[in-house]
Amino acid sequence: MSPIQLPPLKIDALPTLPNPLEEAKRSAAYRAVDENLDFFNHKVIGIGSGSTVVYVAERIGQYLKDENYSKYVSKFICISTGFQSKRLILDNGLNFGVVEQYPDIDIAFDGADEVDENLQLIKGGGACLFQEKLISTSAKKFIVVADHRKKSPKNLCTNWTNGIPIEVVPSAYVRVKNDLLNKLNAKNVNIRQGGSFKAGPIVTDNNNFIIDVNFNGIINNPKQLHSEIKSLIGVVETGLFIDNAMKAYFGNSDGTVELQEKMIPVMA
Ligand SMILES: O=C(CO)[C@H](O)[C@H](O)COP(=O)(O)O
């Protein structure tokens, strides 16, 4: 708990966004920043990827412009999880740093594709998988920001049906695909394509491919599945983020936000 109290952020009342989903994302991101950023003790901040974290960078940028906060925020070093988040950092006037220089991150904010009841995540829908895992696991606190669609009623792969993203070394993609099908009994395995602007597979910021793999329905044991996938030759990282997130903020279209926190086991 900080001994000094700062006045509330001076900012004109924000207009409701015309798109309800954007309103949901912004509400979650702003509240996550407001409740978790420690202006006195945090120095190195991880900024993730996707459309929700845009509002995290925007909010930190608002603090930078506020006379009461700017002396603190101007000393922050923000670490990106890929090209998009590097741009978010720079466009909001924040200091950019690299994880090689700042390997100990105080707090990281990132989006998620699905969050289960135990705060296990699927990430990588935006293909920034490996760097997102590097940053989130290098952070003392990892905070998820998401809209309401990302909250699973129970298990992973309930709402998210695109499969678990896996980042693979390009030359090993056939081997990984075959191993997923034959050794781990995957139902289907897709090499993610670049879409209309890229003939062939998506190439990540680390020059790897992304494989999206579906198993038979919901994932009951994400920790075990992560270990099994990770043991395959050619897999760089899986999109299962295990025992990493501390809190998840889910925004609703009416601007309300639901907080899900890690359960801490009570000792008998
Ligand atoms: O994991 C990610 C990118 O690889 C994103 O954080 C995830 O896809 C969520 O994105 P959005 O905030 O747009 O819903």
Side-chain angles (χ1 to χ4, degrees):
M1 202 54 176
S2 159
I4 316 164
Q5 290 295 315
L6 288 170
L9 180 62
K10 268 190 227 153
I11 187 161
D12 294 336
L14 289 161
T16 304
L17 292 171
N19 180 331
L21 202 51
E22 290 305 308
E23 181 65 29
K25 292 177 187 188
R26 185 175 73 177
S27 304
Y30 277 26
R31 195 167 137 196
V33 171
D34 292 352
E35 289 187 2
N36 295 284
L37 203 53
D38 180 337
F39 295 93
F40 304 105
N41 297 307
H42 289 161
K43 181 167 185 264
V44 184
I45 321 290
I47 305 285
S49 332
S51 57
T52 314
V53 92
V54 167
Y55 297 109
V56 167
E58 181 179 277
R59 189 61 161 175
I60 301 174
Q62 289 170 0
Y63 279 107
L64 178 67
K65 291 194 197 99
D66 186 290
E67 58 183 347
N68 295 310
Y69 292 87
S70 75
K71 68 171 175 231
Y72 304 105
V73 181
S74 61
K75 295 198 187 89
F76 285 173
I77 304 291
C78 296
I79 313 292
S80 76
T81 56
F83 182 84
Q84 180 228 0
S85 66
K86 178 161 81 175
R87 282 290 359 143
L88 288 177
I89 292 164
L90 297 175
D91 291 348
N92 283 284
L94 304 166
N95 299 321
F96 173 71
V98 291
V99 70
E100 294 96 310
Q101 195 178 2
Y102 298 98
D104 299 316
I105 297 173
D106 294 307
I107 187 165
F109 299 90
D110 204 347
D113 298 307
E114 193 172 19
V115 181
D116 81 3
E117 58 177 0
N118 298 314
L119 272 181
Q120 314 291 32
L121 319 176
I122 294 179
K123 286 185 51 56
C128 301
L129 205 164
F130 170 72
Q131 292 198 50
E132 291 181 329
K133 195 164 275 190
L134 175 63
I135 300 310
S136 65
T137 56
S138 301
K140 290 190 195 93
K141 287 184 177 178
F142 173 38
I143 310 291
V144 175
V145 291
D147 64 75
H148 52 90
R149 301 170 306 167
K150 308 302 182 69
K151 185 175 167 60
S152 166
K154 195 169 188 310
N155 295 313
L156 293 177
C157 290
T158 306
N159 299 341
W160 179 257
T161 53
N162 294 351
I164 297 165
I166 305 173
E167 187 158 344
V168 299
V169 174
S171 59
Y173 82 92
V174 175
R175 162 87 184 259
V176 175
K177 180 178 176 173
N178 290 340
D179 283 351
L180 286 165
L181 290 166
N182 302 326
K183 292 189 179 163
L184 300 190
N185 300 318
K187 197 167 146 209
N188 53 58
V189 178
N190 297 307
I191 315 301
R192 197 181 297 175
Q193 298 301 304
S196 53
F197 296 105
K198 164 80 169 73
I202 273 186
V203 178
T204 70
D205 288 327
N206 307 302
N207 297 316
N208 293 316
F209 289 173
I210 296 282
I211 285 180
D212 293 298
V213 55
N214 274 293
F215 293 89
N216 283 313
I218 59 165
I219 307 297
N220 291 313
N221 191 340
K223 200 171 190 161
Q224 185 186 331
L225 185 60
H226 163 76
S227 302
E228 286 172 358
I229 300 171
K230 191 77 197 276
S231 71
L232 301 178
I233 301 298
V235 169
V236 175
E237 201 35 86
T238 87
L240 292 166
F241 282 50
I242 305 298
D243 296 343
N244 185 194
M246 195 182 166
K247 296 178 186 176
Y249 288 80
F250 299 98
N252 298 310
S253 309
D254 63 1
T256 56
V257 177
E258 189 185 333
L259 170 62
Q260 184 182 341
E261 290 189 82
K262 194 176 191 138
M263 306 260 218
I264 297 163
V266 181
M267 302 299 278

